């Protein structure tokens, strides 16, 4: 597995967990939600953009999954713009749709036996378990860091 594929998979799996937390457990509109959401957006954009250098399904050519990458870049970006404009319903729709697309990509990544994740699980089960643990721990640390940062009061500017 190349470093690009490894970081792509790590970011995708972390995004999958963070996105689920954001949608189902995060208190919406809070600073924690915003902080964790920014990390999620960065990870989703990395996953989408890095996919254009991964062409193993059709060597040297893009696959149908690359359409999902273009859609994800668009919907995640629109979701951020809509949140900044206060259009929360549209923000939710874009982000929810992006996460659902990621869920479909995940199913495809693990359901096709020749893909890297199933091969990694079969050939190196201890390594796969360790990688899964790292993803879960990283996700928990991102959420924890978001909670800690949210508690830090903003520094007020001092007028001379």
């Amino acid at each position: 597995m190349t470093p690009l594929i490894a970081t792509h998979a790590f970011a995708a799996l972390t995004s999958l967990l963070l996105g689920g937390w954001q949608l189902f457990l995060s208190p919406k509109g809070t600073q924690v939600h915003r902080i964790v959401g920014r990390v999620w957006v960065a990870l989703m954009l990395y996953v989408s953009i890095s996919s254009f250098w991964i062409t193993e399904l059709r060597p040297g050519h893009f696959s149908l999954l690359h359409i999902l990458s273009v859609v994800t870049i668009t919907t995640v970006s629109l979701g951020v713009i809509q949140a900044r404009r206060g259009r929360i319903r549209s923000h939710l729709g874009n982000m929810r749709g992006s996460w659902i697309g990621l869920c479909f990509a995940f199913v495809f990544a693990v359901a096709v036996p020749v893909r890297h994740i199933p091969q990694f699980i079969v050939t190196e089960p201890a390594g796969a378990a360790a990688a899964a643990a790292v993803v879960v721990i990283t996700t928990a640390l991102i959420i924890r860091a978001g909670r800690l940062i949210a508690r830090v009061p903003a520094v007020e500017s001092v007028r001379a």
Side-chain angles (χ1 to χ4, degrees), residues 7-20:
T7 59
H8 174 86
F10 174 78
L13 292 170
T14 304
S15 295
L16 190 69
L17 296 180
L18 281 179

Side-chain angles (χ1 to χ4, degrees), residues 46-124:
Y46 175 77
V47 169
S48 298
I49 293 167
S50 67
S51 75
F52 294 110
W53 284 268
I54 302 172
T55 58
E56 270 101 12
L57 288 179
R58 297 181 60 221
H61 298 90
F62 292 133
S63 69
L64 291 176
L65 280 176
H66 291 97
I67 294 170
L68 181 60
S69 294
V70 172
V71 170
T72 299
I73 291 167
T74 302
T75 57
V76 166
S77 299
L78 286 173
V80 170
I81 290 167
Q82 296 303 345
R84 289 182 180 265
R85 291 181 177 168
R87 297 178 181 158
I88 302 308
R89 179 170 271 168
S90 180
H91 163 74
L92 175 60
N94 280 291
M95 297 313 197
R96 183 183 290 155
S98 298
W99 185 74
I100 291 169
L102 178 64
C103 291
F104 279 109
F106 171 75
V107 168
F108 183 72
V110 298
V112 178
V114 297
R115 301 283 315 263
H116 287 286
I117 292 176
Q119 289 296 313
F120 184 49
I121 293 168
V122 170
T123 61
E124 298 182 49

Side-chain angles (χ1 to χ4, degrees), residues 12-30:
L13 292 170
T14 304
S15 295
L16 190 69
L17 296 180
L18 281 179
W21 185 82
Q22 283 287 84
L23 284 171
F24 303 112
L25 301 173
S26 170
K28 309 303 179 273
T30 63

